[in-house]
């Protein structure tokens, strides 16, 4: 299949650590919106990904994890969101094959970090209730994507977008930005550094991981759905 | 001084016009330009390009279209325009360089030595974007002045300088005071 996925699944030169679940104790939350479940879970996967703070979409016992690194200012991420993402959700997330973990990877400019911090604040705000609202916000921001550094990803404009997303409290998000912005930014920086350990140098980027067999593969860029479909099957059967 | 500038300009015009003096040269020029454009665009996201093309070469057109759109959306029309102009100039430079080697008898070490440095230097300047990505400098291009357009412009200037030194490969030119042949 993919060069990257083949390499990782075969373990050729890229060997990840053994499975390790640090914590299974956090309260999972989920909700239903367009039949897509979202969860919050505090644990570290066998691949070393700390799930805490990241939206998880899909069944928690889905056999394949897909870790998705993105930047809201990245046009290639928007392309993925428009083309392959809906098909992955329809054909792999909803049927219970994949659980999709959203990880921020702001690298294009300061506004990318602004959007990334707001993403985490939105998740904090909705995860205890109608968690699937996160996807509405996530999609609304990508839909509103403008030219890099044109101001579309300023805090003010993003809060305006937030206010128009039903079920997301823009005031609570703003409060989160003020009171937890620095702490969230530090956590995102850690995620960015960790991404480099997986050889991620641009976005969108994906690591597919079979938790049971501890096999993984990587896809980079807005590739066609068929490539994801094939990669998911390959990792699932690895 | 003015004579030297005039000589460079006339040699550049002669080199620029040479590829269009026959159908074969024109076709070769556009073929070189197309290959150069493909390489430059694919090198803007090398890991993506490698994954797509190592799976199936049939993805070549999709990868080029996707990365062209991505380049336009992420660094703008000016950057994309510079890449297109660079590709066309490279096509002209390659055709002219081949003409020079052929007219020099095909084995002229001097001819080769005058051709390669210009192409290599301009190539390095232009594909810096891809190299930076490959080397792991995430977002490095976006941090460069004008999103890396200066780097692209540097590659273009090197090509123009190279062509203005080369001239029409069918003609021998008298060495100038500035070191040109």
């Amino acid at each position: 299949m993919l060069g990257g996925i083949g390499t990782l699944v075969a373990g050729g030169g890229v060997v990840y650590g053994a499975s390790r679940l640090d914590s299974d104790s956090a309260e999972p939350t989920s909700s239903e919106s367009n039949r897509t479940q979202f969860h919050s879970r505090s644990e570290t996967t066998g691949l070393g990904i700390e799930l805490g703070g990241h939206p998880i979409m899909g069944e928690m016992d889905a056999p394949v994890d897909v870790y998705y690194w993105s930047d809201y200012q990245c046009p290639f991420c928007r392309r993925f969101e428009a083309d392959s993402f809906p098909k992955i959700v329809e054909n792999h997330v909803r049927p219970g094959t994949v659980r999709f973990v959203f990880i921020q990877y702001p690298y294009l400019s300061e506004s990318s970090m602004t959007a990334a911090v707001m993403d985490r604040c939105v998740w904090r705000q909705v995860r205890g209730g109608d968690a699937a609202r996160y996807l509405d916000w996530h999609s609304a921001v990508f839909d509103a994507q403008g030219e890099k550094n044109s101001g579309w990803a300023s805090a003010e404009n993003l809060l305006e977008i937030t206010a128009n997303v039903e079920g997301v409290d823009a005031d609570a998000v703003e409060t989160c930005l003020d009171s937890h912005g620095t702490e969230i930014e530090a956590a995102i920086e850690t995620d960015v550094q960790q991404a480099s350990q997986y050889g991620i140098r641009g976005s969108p980027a994906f690591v597919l991981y079979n938790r049971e067999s501890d096999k993984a593969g990587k896809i980079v860029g807005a590739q066609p759905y068929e490539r994801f479909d094939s990669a998911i099957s390959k990792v699932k059967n690895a | 001084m003015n004579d030297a500038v005039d000589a460079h300009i006339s040699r550049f015009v002669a080199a620029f016009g040479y590829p269009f003096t026959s159908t074969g040269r024109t076709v070769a020029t556009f073929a070189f330009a197309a290959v150069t454009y493909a390489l430059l665009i694919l090198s803007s996201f090398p890991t993506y390009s490698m994954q797509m093309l190592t799976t199936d070469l049939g993805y070549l057109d999709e990868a080029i279209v996707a990365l062209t759109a991505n380049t336009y959306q992420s660094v703008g029309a000016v950057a994309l325009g510079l890449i297109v102009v660079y590709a066309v100039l490279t096509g002209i430079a390659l055709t002219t360089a081949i003409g020079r080697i052929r007219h020099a008898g095909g084995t002229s070490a001097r001819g080769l030595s005058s051709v390669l440095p210009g192409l290599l230097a301009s190539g390095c300047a232009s594909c810096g974007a891809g190299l930076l990505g490959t080397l792991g400098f995430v977002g490095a291009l976006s941090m460069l002045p004008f999103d890396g357009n200066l780097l692209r412009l540097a590659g273009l200037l090197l090509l123009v300088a190279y062509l203005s030194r080369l001239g029409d490969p069918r003609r021998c030119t008298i060495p100038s005071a500035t070191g040109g042949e």
Side-chain angles (χ1 to χ4, degrees):
Chain A
M1 177 234 131
L2 328 165
I5 209 100
T7 303
L8 287 172
V9 168
V14 185
V15 179
Y16 295 125
S19 296
R20 180 173 66 91
L21 296 179
D22 281 342
S23 165
D24 222 349
S25 59
E27 287 298 314
T29 60
S30 66
S31 66
E32 198 92 19
S33 172
N34 297 326
R35 293 176 291 124
T36 309
Q37 291 188 339
F38 269 80
H39 305 267
S40 176
R41 180 65 63 92
S42 182
E43 68 181 38
T44 303
T45 68
L47 205 59
I49 301 288
E50 169 58 54
L51 297 179
H54 300 299
I56 306 166
M57 180 175 64
E59 303 284 348
M60 286 308 287
D61 59 354
V64 177
D65 277 1
V66 174
Y67 308 113
Y68 166 37
W69 286 267
S70 68
D71 181 324
Y72 281 109
Q73 288 207 104
C74 150
F76 226 26
C77 299
R78 188 183 183 192
R79 186 183 182 93
F80 165 75
E81 295 272 340
D83 295 346
S84 300
F85 183 59
K87 295 173 191 160
I88 294 170
V89 172
E90 189 63 36
N91 299 328
H92 294 285
V93 176
R94 284 182 183 152
T97 309
V98 162
R99 63 177 199 182
F100 215 83
V101 182
F102 296 81
I103 306 174
Q104 291 305 301
Y105 186 69
Y107 69 104
L108 289 173
S109 77
E110 276 183 31
S111 296
S112 299
M113 180 57 89
T114 303
V117 172
M118 195 171 292
D119 173 282
R120 302 272 296 240
C121 279
V122 167
W123 176 240
R124 283 180 179 213
Q125 201 260 310
V126 300
R127 67 184 173 188
D130 191 356
R133 293 294 180 193
Y134 168 79
L135 190 59
D136 297 338
W137 183 87
H138 175 86
S139 302
V141 174
F142 269 117
D143 286 346
Q145 188 186 77
E147 200 177 315
K148 188 181 72 180
N149 293 334
S150 63
W152 79 270
S154 66
E156 295 74 23
N157 196 54
L158 290 173
L159 283 170
E160 207 169 296
I161 293 168
T162 306
N164 290 324
V165 177
E166 196 182 329
V168 181
D169 182 347
D171 292 335
V173 170
E174 189 171 14
T175 304
C176 166
L177 288 177
D178 293 339
S179 52
H180 300 289
T182 309
E183 151 210 339
I184 290 173
E185 198 170 317
I188 292 171
E189 294 284 7
T190 304
D191 287 340
V192 171
Q193 285 169 15
Q194 188 183 35
S196 69
Q197 293 169 11
Y198 302 125
I200 290 165
R201 293 163 183 162
S203 66
F206 311 83
V207 169
L208 290 70
Y209 177 58
N210 183 324
R211 296 192 305 282
E212 194 174 321
S213 67
D214 203 29
K215 301 290 186 186
K218 185 169 72 177
I219 298 182
V220 177
Q223 299 196 21
Y225 167 71
E226 298 74 42
R227 309 261 297 126
F228 285 95
D229 187 42
S230 166
I232 289 166
S233 298
K234 188 166 185 177
V235 170
K236 184 186 168 192
N237 298 322
Chain B
M1 178 65 182
N2 281 342
D3 288 348
V5 172
D6 287 346
H8 276 290
I9 291 172
S10 60
R11 279 199 297 270
F12 175 76
V13 171
F16 196 88
Y18 171 73
F20 306 104
T21 52
S22 79
T23 307
R25 287 173 196 142
T26 305
V27 170
T29 300
F30 281 109
F32 286 137
V35 170
T36 304
Y37 178 79
L39 289 175
L40 292 175
I41 281 294
L42 293 174
S43 75
S44 68
F45 203 153
T47 45
Y48 162 81
S49 303
M50 284 295 290
Q51 284 195 342
M52 291 282 275
L53 299 182
T54 53
T55 303
D56 187 347
L57 281 176
Y59 282 126
L60 179 64
D61 56 342
E62 180 160 348
I64 289 174
V65 169
L67 288 177
T68 296
N70 188 51
T71 301
Y72 175 73
Q73 288 162 347
S74 56
V75 288
V78 173
L80 188 60
L82 284 174
I83 291 171
V84 171
V85 172
Y86 178 87
V88 172
L89 274 185
T90 299
I92 292 170
L94 282 174
T95 306
T96 310
I98 290 169
R100 181 185 178 91
I101 292 166
R102 288 178 66 186
H103 287 286
T107 55
S108 166
R110 182 169 182 161
L112 279 173
S113 68
S114 68
V115 163
L116 289 176
L119 293 180
L120 289 176
S122 51
C124 284
S126 182
C127 72
L131 287 178
L132 289 170
T134 309
L135 293 172
F137 296 103
V138 174
L141 205 63
S142 64
M143 285 180 254
L144 289 173
F146 307 105
D147 288 332
N149 279 349
L150 285 183
L151 195 66
R152 297 184 185 94
L153 196 59
L156 272 180
L157 289 177
L158 280 170
L159 266 181
V160 168
Y162 166 70
L163 287 172
S164 72
R165 190 170 175 273
L166 202 60
D168 188 327
R170 295 169 298 181
R171 277 187 243 142
C172 290
T173 50
I174 299 167
S176 72
T178 53
E181 289 176 60

